Amino acid sequence: MHIINNEKILTYIDYTPVYNGLNITEFGEETSACGDHGNFLGYRHNHIVHFVLEGTGTFFRDGKTYALAAGKAFVITPKNLIRYEATKENSWKYCWLSFTGTDCDTLFEQCGFTENNAVFDFQESDIRPLLDELAFLRKEKPQLSPAYPLAALSMSFEVLKNCAARLRVDEPKKQVSSSIVDTAIAYMQANLHKPMSISTLCADLCISRTYFSTLFETTLKQPPYQYLQNLRIQKASELLLSDMNRHVYEIAEMVGFSSTAQFCKAFHKVIGCRPSEFRIKYQKSDDAPTAPRR
């Protein structure tokens, strides 16, 4: 491990791995102008996050070009064809963290460094641990101990944790989860007249039943089958009172039950009485009970 420290660049480098899974191999800061070394089009061997501190520049990654300025971070993995450079006739200053190891892909995904977040906003407070460490190395010029890579790794994890919080990694997952549940509910409502099963629903939506059931119950606090059953009973109770000329067996078919007996049993379980009793009791009342809803 060693340090490069001059007017333009301060870099900590250590390519001796502490762990096989993940290592911080470099961190540093640099001031460079357009066309300075290192801004060629190509691939990097490491997983890297750069943080622009001053100036402006451009970042090319896999066919897309991004404008960069202070407060912008950009992400590089070994899979990306990249180039980055300061704006013409200008200079910029940035700092970075560079990682190697078999767990880098997993780490970056968990932090939210996806294709959609190839460039993202950050605050100075997010990278304060890195800035403090750079200031320390610049000022103290320490003799690094064998334990220093552990301190460097701890610092880098603190920065990555802050970036993950900034990207609100869990929020997109919640949005996706909500979208799946909303789609499933819309599907149930549109196909209520069919003898639908949760397995059929999952097959039509191309989703694992186990994953869907867990997701649905976590979101709505009830199993999808129970929700579907309640939805059917809710619709049936409305039909019983809105169309007095329809027979019970017709309404059973209209809400997807395969038999009248099955319908009556389910109705009694949810509402507390048989469909015919419900109709007589509440045909002129606004107080009819309803099945639990979302």
Side-chain angles (χ1 to χ4, degrees), residues 10 20 37 43 46 51 83 96-97 105 107 115 125-126 137 152 158 172 208 220 227 235 272-274 277 286 292 294:
L10 168 65
N20 291 327
H37 70 283
Y43 294 90
N46 301 343
F51 305 93
R83 182 182 67 246
W96 73 91
L97 296 169
D105 284 334
L107 173 71
E115 183 177 351
S125 57
D126 299 332
L137 294 180
E158 187 71 18
S208 159
L220 295 186
Y227 185 91
K235 183 62 176 179
C273 63
R274 295 176 63 82
E277 296 170 341
D286 293 329
R294 184 182 180 187

Side-chain angles (χ1 to χ4, degrees), residues 220-270:
L220 295 186
K221 311 305 179 186
Q222 60 179 303
Y225 175 78
Q226 180 182 329
Y227 185 91
L228 176 59
Q229 192 86 311
N230 290 339
L231 198 63
R232 284 173 166 158
I233 298 302
Q234 177 68 36
K235 183 62 176 179
S237 65
E238 294 171 3
L239 291 171
L240 283 166
L241 299 180
S242 64
D243 193 345
M244 303 296 291
N245 294 322
R246 285 196 182 275
H247 296 291
V248 171
Y249 74 85
E250 292 178 300
I251 292 175
E253 291 178 355
M254 291 173 67
V255 296
F257 283 89
S258 57
S259 72
T260 305
Q262 183 189 35
F263 167 60
C264 291
K265 182 179 180 181
F267 193 96
H268 187 278
K269 182 177 180 180
V270 175

Side-chain angles (χ1 to χ4, degrees), residues 37-50 58-66 68 74-85 92 94 118-119:
H37 70 283
N39 295 324
F40 60 90
L41 180 66
Y43 294 90
R44 299 294 190 272
H45 296 299
N46 301 343
H47 289 68
I48 312 169
V49 188
H50 286 76
T58 57
F59 174 48
F60 175 94
R61 171 173 146 157
D62 298 334
K64 296 181 181 179
T65 302
Y66 305 86
L68 300 175
F74 58 101
V75 179
I76 298 170
T77 79
K79 300 175 184 177
N80 305 129
L81 179 65
I82 62 98
R83 182 182 67 246
Y84 54 95
E85 59 186 352
W92 64 349
Y94 54 81
V119 173

